[in-house]
Amino acid sequence: MNNYHTHTYRCGHGYGSEEDMVKTAIDLNMQELGFSEHVPLPFYRLFLLKSLPHTLWSLHSFLSWCKAFILNGPGMRMPYKRRKEHQKVVQELKQKYKNQITIYQGYECEYFKEYLDYYQRLLDNQEVDYLILGNHFDRYPIHSYYYGKKKVNDEMLKHYQQDVIKAIHTNLFSYIAHPDLFMMGRNEFDDLCKEVSLAICKEAKKYDVPLEVNAGGIRKGLVCRNDEMVYPYNNDHFFHISQEIDNKVILGIDAHHPQQFNTKDIELLNQFVEKHHLNKINKLTFKKGNSH
């Protein structure tokens, strides 16, 4: 197995260094490892200011906004000024372990239209080898607009579909991480969920963008939804649609701790793939955007 979805302590909600992650990946005989910290954003505080009015309805959102604004990122993503340090470490590890594993530099990004040109520059300037889409937030990086919260209403779900499809069209993102994250906040896989899932799967197929089967959803364990025991994401119904469309899928450990590189989670990922007869790929082809 290869893994292109790896975080470290630098994201503010992970543990372990870059080298810790490399060593555990080598222990599992991985051939390729990609680092994909939540992308550091320039002018992040200015971007946060746009979301301030939307935090006032929720104490949780306001407090998380305050923390992100004061610390300029931790809790959600590494501060922009730390990106060079991270990239330097990854480059050093590429050389140090080149005879044992191939290492790539990437980032996990939301579809924030204000930052699409920045994402393209990261690829054009070869600061990163690849980007993946992890669409956590609707417009603003605050809890009120988080797609993984306990309740995701119909309006947010429609925005999720629109943004993921727009992201696919940019050709910036080599795969879609946890494409069914929105099921964290839905009580059942209703007609709208089916409609959104079908639209995303069809567009991903058309543009040859793989979908991720994510170990983070499996680590959350099975939950009861509408009298069914399902993972909150890696939702059975979503991936049944994916199988019918014949999307490519790729496994993602979504590691935030070295211990999350383990054979148990990998076995569960593969069992899910086999259960749904999914078209699994092991090696990622990196997309480079539309600058050409």
Side-chain angles (χ1 to χ4, degrees):
M1 176 186 170
N2 300 320
N3 181 60
Y4 305 93
H5 197 165
T6 312
H7 302 278
T8 71
Y9 75 93
R10 295 182 189 273
C11 68
H13 55 278
Y15 303 88
S17 68
E18 291 89 347
E19 188 160 19
D20 292 333
M21 298 299 185
V22 171
K23 288 179 177 178
T24 52
I26 291 172
D27 289 342
L28 284 175
N29 296 316
M30 289 190 175
Q31 303 300 307
E32 296 186 354
L33 178 69
F35 284 97
S36 58
E37 292 289 15
H38 299 281
V39 62
L41 298 174
F43 311 112
Y44 184 56
R45 286 192 174 107
L46 290 177
F47 186 51
L48 279 172
L49 282 172
K50 295 181 181 180
S51 68
L52 179 58
H54 303 278
T55 70
L56 303 180
W57 308 107
S58 163
L59 179 61
H60 185 181
S61 283
F62 180 69
L63 293 177
S64 65
W65 182 94
C66 290
K67 179 181 178 182
F69 190 86
I70 292 168
L71 299 178
N72 199 25
M76 294 182 185
R77 64 192 74 246
M78 79 171 81
Y80 182 70
K81 66 181 180 180
R82 299 292 186 191
R83 79 192 194 287
K84 291 294 187 182
E85 177 185 338
H86 168 62
Q87 291 169 3
K88 181 175 181 291
V89 170
V90 172
Q91 289 297 322
E92 291 170 349
L93 294 173
K94 283 185 180 185
Q95 292 302 312
K96 182 175 180 179
Y97 292 98
K98 64 182 180 181
N99 294 325
Q100 296 172 268
I101 193 169
T102 301
I103 297 172
Y104 295 105
Q105 172 71 70
Y107 284 129
E108 181 182 7
C109 309
E110 283 81 16
Y111 179 82
F112 291 147
K113 63 182 181 179
E114 294 90 340
Y115 284 107
L116 295 180
D117 288 341
Y118 165 62
Y119 296 164
Q120 185 68 67
R121 289 196 301 273
L122 289 174
L123 292 166
D124 290 345
N125 297 339
Q126 299 182 358
E127 282 193 48
V128 298
D129 299 302
Y130 69 100
L131 302 172
I132 61 176
L133 180 73
N135 213 40
H136 302 91
F137 300 102
D138 176 12
R139 289 168 285 180
Y140 302 115
I142 55 174
H143 178 74
S144 297
Y145 286 76
Y146 177 46
Y147 287 117
K149 65 182 183 177
K150 292 183 179 179
K151 182 171 178 56
V152 173
N153 62 33
D154 289 357
E155 181 183 8
M156 281 188 69
L157 185 49
K158 291 174 183 177
H159 287 166
Y160 182 84
Q161 173 190 327
Q162 293 164 5
D163 284 350
V164 169
I165 289 176
K166 287 176 185 177
I168 290 171
H169 292 169
T170 68
N171 200 43
L172 289 166
F173 306 105
S174 297
Y175 78 69
I176 303 173
H178 39 66
D180 55 340
L181 177 68
F182 58 85
M183 287 306 299
M184 287 281 290
R186 305 289 290 192
N187 290 325
E188 62 177 317
F189 196 84
D190 57 17
D191 287 342
L192 181 58
C193 292
K194 181 178 180 180
E195 176 187 323
V196 168
S197 301
L198 187 61
I200 290 171
C201 289
K202 283 184 174 180
E203 211 68 10
K205 172 70 173 178
K206 180 179 178 181
Y207 286 85
D208 194 26
V209 181
L211 306 176
E212 181 191 58
V213 181
N214 183 282
I218 287 177
R219 286 192 294 268
K220 292 182 183 298
L222 295 169
V223 297
C224 185
R225 297 282 171 82
N226 197 30
D227 297 325
E228 293 182 303
M229 295 304 294
V230 295
Y231 292 117
Y233 51 97
N234 297 330
N235 179 274
D236 287 341
H237 300 286
F238 179 95
F239 279 97
H240 176 71
I241 291 172
S242 172
Q243 188 273 333
E244 290 185 328
I245 300 297
D246 192 31
N247 292 107
K248 293 177 181 176
V249 303
I250 191 164
L251 305 187
I253 293 180
D254 198 357
H256 287 73
H257 193 292
Q259 293 178 359
Q260 291 172 350
F261 283 96
N262 61 76
T263 55
K264 178 185 175 183
D265 285 356
I266 293 172
E267 287 173 1
L268 289 171
L269 287 171
N270 279 306
Q271 286 172 15
F272 186 88
V273 167
E274 291 169 8
K275 173 184 176 182
H276 293 284
H277 308 289
L278 301 176
N279 180 16
K280 185 182 77 169
I281 63 172
N282 293 312
K283 185 174 176 63
L284 189 62
T285 299
F286 297 150
K287 295 182 179 292
K288 297 298 183 180
N290 292 316
S291 63
H292 60 281

